Amino acid sequence: MIDPASVARPVRRYIAGGCTPVHDQLAVEEPLEIRIGYGPRNDRHVKAVSITMRTPASDAAATEDFELAAGFLFTEGILHTRDQVERCFYCGPETSALRLHNVVRVELAPPTGNTVLDLDRLERHFYTTSSCGVCGKTSIDAVRTQCPAPLHDHFTVAPDIIHALPEFLRSAQAVFDRTGGLHAAALFDAHGRLVALREDVGRHNALDKLIGSQFLANCLPAHDRILLVSGRASFELVQKAAMAGIPILAAVGAPSSLAVDLARESNITLLGFVRENRFNAYTAEHRIA
């Protein structure tokens, strides 16, 4: 069975004293075009919202492209509630530059008096790379306006639970084991039990997949969850965590200064360098009990 998430490529492996021809497993990176269908049933409209470079969904996780699309639309402030989404499906022609499984359409339920689609947001077309999800935003201030009110303080965890999370994350990264080239985002409960994990070549895509899975399962806001990301903590990851109502964001790597500023504004507990039984608490450390 072909796994679209990884591919073998011939390489020459150099080790002291010589080299050997081998095949190396690489993480696949392909474009995903996200489209949205909206309007009354007798007058439907389709609009392309974004193209992002992502790791395609494997056969064992065929819904991850749909989670990515839904999570992106939610964290961008275009979607607000699960009942806005009627269905998600692949819609790309096989003959186009974007294959069938590289175009996802999110079909919205017909509007009612309580559902309003922000068409202005749909007009902000931008290309999203696998390395940075915020570069196409018109301004940092525009991103900040999407974040909800600061989070409450009722959720606390013990330091020992935080120390144990990286090992749980690493042991659950199936595609990383084959390629060594993927980011991961995982949700844990207050006892450190893994709730969900998603992988992708882009750190923001991994988080959009994760948040999208919770959005489609109607499990947001995630006020009683810990988010762990495998790389650094960037501004856009804090913004997405705030949109999802996640109170604790832990990163294996370092945070940026803007990430710390937004975490403080949003009352998110931001932890960095979570590895080897240590971590730094940059904001809202009162949640570490």
Side-chain angles (χ1 to χ4, degrees):
M1 181 180 296
I2 297 175
D3 181 2
S6 63
V7 63
R9 290 287 187 267
V11 301
R12 295 188 70 84
R13 181 163 296 158
Y14 287 81
I15 304 175
C19 67
T20 307
V22 297
H23 278 80
D24 193 26
Q25 289 288 325
L26 306 180
V28 173
E29 183 176 36
E30 288 188 355
L32 178 71
E33 180 177 310
I34 300 172
R35 300 176 183 174
I36 193 167
Y38 63 97
R41 292 214 182 277
N42 60 352
D43 187 25
R44 300 298 279 174
H45 303 279
V46 178
K47 184 177 287 292
V49 180
S50 180
I51 294 178
T52 185
M53 301 301 294
R54 95 316 185 185
T55 301
S58 65
D59 294 334
T63 62
E64 285 191 8
D65 282 336
F66 304 150
E67 294 170 350
L68 172 56
F72 171 81
L73 294 172
F74 172 76
T75 58
E76 285 296 307
I78 296 171
L79 295 180
H80 304 284
T81 61
R82 172 63 179 87
D83 56 12
Q84 288 180 275
V85 178
E86 195 166 77
R87 64 180 181 129
C88 302
F89 58 95
Y90 291 111
C91 61
E94 289 283 5
T95 57
S96 70
L98 296 173
R99 297 184 298 105
L100 170 66
H101 289 120
N102 281 346
V103 184
V104 164
R105 177 165 160 179
V106 179
E107 196 75 10
L108 302 189
T112 66
N114 296 323
T115 60
V116 178
L117 182 64
D118 190 340
L119 294 178
D120 290 337
R121 291 199 190 280
L122 287 179
E123 292 302 322
R124 293 190 300 110
H125 294 274
F126 55 86
Y127 176 88
T128 305
T129 72
S130 60
S131 60
C132 178
V134 77
C135 297
K137 305 294 192 302
T138 55
S139 72
I140 296 301
D141 290 339
V143 180
R144 278 198 172 103
T145 61
Q146 297 179 30
C147 293
L151 302 179
H152 297 297
D153 292 328
H154 71 280
F155 183 64
T156 60
V157 298
D160 287 348
I161 289 177
I162 301 297
H163 290 317
L165 297 185
E167 181 58 33
F168 289 136
L169 177 72
R170 179 64 189 85
S171 63
Q173 287 187 259
V175 182
F176 183 90
D177 283 340
R178 298 194 299 275
T179 66
L182 289 185
H183 290 283
L187 276 183
F188 297 86
D189 66 15
H191 303 287
R193 292 185 292 250
L194 181 65
V195 175
L197 179 143
R198 297 294 183 269
E199 293 179 287
D200 199 272
V201 287
R203 60 173 61 87
H204 68 283
N205 282 342
L207 185 50
D208 276 340
K209 287 178 181 179
L210 183 67
I211 291 176
S213 72
Q214 302 305 293
F215 175 81
L216 293 174
N218 214 16
C219 293
L220 295 181
H223 291 322
D224 57 350
R225 295 289 184 254
I226 307 163
L227 170 62
L228 177 65
V229 295
S230 59
R232 63 184 179 86
S234 57
F235 174 88
E236 72 267 23
L237 297 192
V238 175
Q239 181 255 335
K240 291 175 186 296
M243 292 293 289
I246 301 171
I248 299 177
L249 168 55
V252 174
S256 68
S257 62
L258 204 56
V260 172
D261 292 344
L262 182 59
R264 183 175 294 110
E265 291 176 19
S266 304
N267 194 28
I268 288 177
T269 300
L270 179 58
L271 310 177
F273 300 105
V274 183
R275 57 181 186 257
E276 299 170 352
N277 289 320
R278 62 183 177 90
F279 61 84
N280 294 341
Y282 292 88
T283 59
E285 60 272 12
H286 53 271
R287 289 198 183 91
I288 307 303

